Amino acid sequence: MNIALILAGGVDSRFQMSVPKQFVNVYNRPIIVYTLEAFQKHNDIDAIMVSCLDGWQEMVRAYAKQFNISKLKWVVSGGKDGQASARNGIKALKNECRDDDVVILHDSIRPFVSEELITDSLKVCRMHGMGVAAVRTMDTIMRTQDGKVGTESISRYAIVRIQTPQAYRMDKLWDVHEKAMERGIVGEVDTNSVISKLGEPVYFSKGSDLNMKINTVEDVEMFKALYKMQKDSKKQKDNK
């Protein structure tokens, strides 16, 4: 069984809108719904769980009914960071899954996740026990302490940008989060960061520059523009 665990537990105080960014409406549907629809449509995803910001759980269930997200099976409370939100979901899934089931973690605010990225994450996971979406960076990278002054240039060929989806075998996922608790590793943004802190390798699957993460109001506007562009392009192809 392949289960999508959608992480929607965060609140960003820098995001200057009246609702959390995962629930902002774009063309009459919240951003999280676009994300849920991607996993709903994927043939290899059997069920969906949302690790959700407290106070919004019933809203997620209502959205699932409204937009026909029939694969949504569970909604649990999120945590104060990505690691905690993932752990809450994993704990809830522990008695629902076999060791060889796959849990595919994904940010609710990455609504452009494609079928190809989900498929490749699952494929790499079957080979290595995990498949973490990553992309090469084309920009020059510098180390800085304050964001104002650079102190060291880092080769872009030694750097990748980590995204979601991130697929893991259930037994691997449980083991990683248990070890993290035992060793006092907390407050990490995502599971691959926990794995690297444990000194273990992270296996990469395909990422994409289009797999954007919505962090700012400007990102919302960019998502609107890209979505409209894709929709118009599809309409033109269908009319030919």
Side-chain angles (χ1 to χ4, degrees), residues 28-126:
N28 297 317
R29 64 180 64 194
I31 286 168
I32 192 173
V33 168
Y34 291 91
T35 304
L36 291 170
E37 286 176 333
F39 290 90
Q40 172 71 26
K41 294 173 183 175
H42 198 289
N43 290 334
D44 291 334
I45 299 299
D46 301 297
I48 298 172
M49 170 182 280
V50 176
S51 183
C52 183
L53 183 66
D54 281 340
W56 290 85
Q57 288 97 332
E58 289 307 314
M59 188 64 73
V60 167
R61 292 186 180 96
Y63 288 147
K65 290 181 180 178
Q66 181 181 355
F67 295 102
N68 300 314
I69 310 297
S70 61
K71 292 180 182 179
L72 180 69
K73 304 300 181 187
W74 313 277
V75 181
V76 299
S77 292
K80 61 183 180 180
D81 50 54
Q83 180 182 351
S85 287
R87 180 173 171 78
N88 287 355
I90 295 158
K91 284 174 68 177
L93 286 173
K94 185 69 171 72
N95 294 325
E96 305 283 346
C97 296
R98 302 179 313 188
D99 285 349
D100 61 350
D101 286 340
V102 172
V103 179
I104 183 164
L105 307 176
H106 188 70
D107 299 321
S108 60
I109 50 175
R110 288 191 189 270
F112 268 143
V113 61
S114 67
E115 178 182 356
E116 179 185 18
L117 297 192
I118 296 170
T119 298
D120 196 64
S121 185
L122 291 169
K123 176 184 173 182
V124 175
C125 182
R126 285 191 286 270

Side-chain angles (χ1 to χ4, degrees), residues 137-161:
T137 180
M138 293 296 104
D139 298 318
T140 298
I141 303 295
M142 290 206 75
R143 192 182 307 280
T144 179
Q145 298 299 319
D146 58 7
K148 297 177 182 179
V149 178
T151 57
E152 179 189 356
S153 182
I154 303 170
S155 171
R156 66 187 184 188
Y157 301 108
I159 298 292
V160 296
R161 290 186 287 116

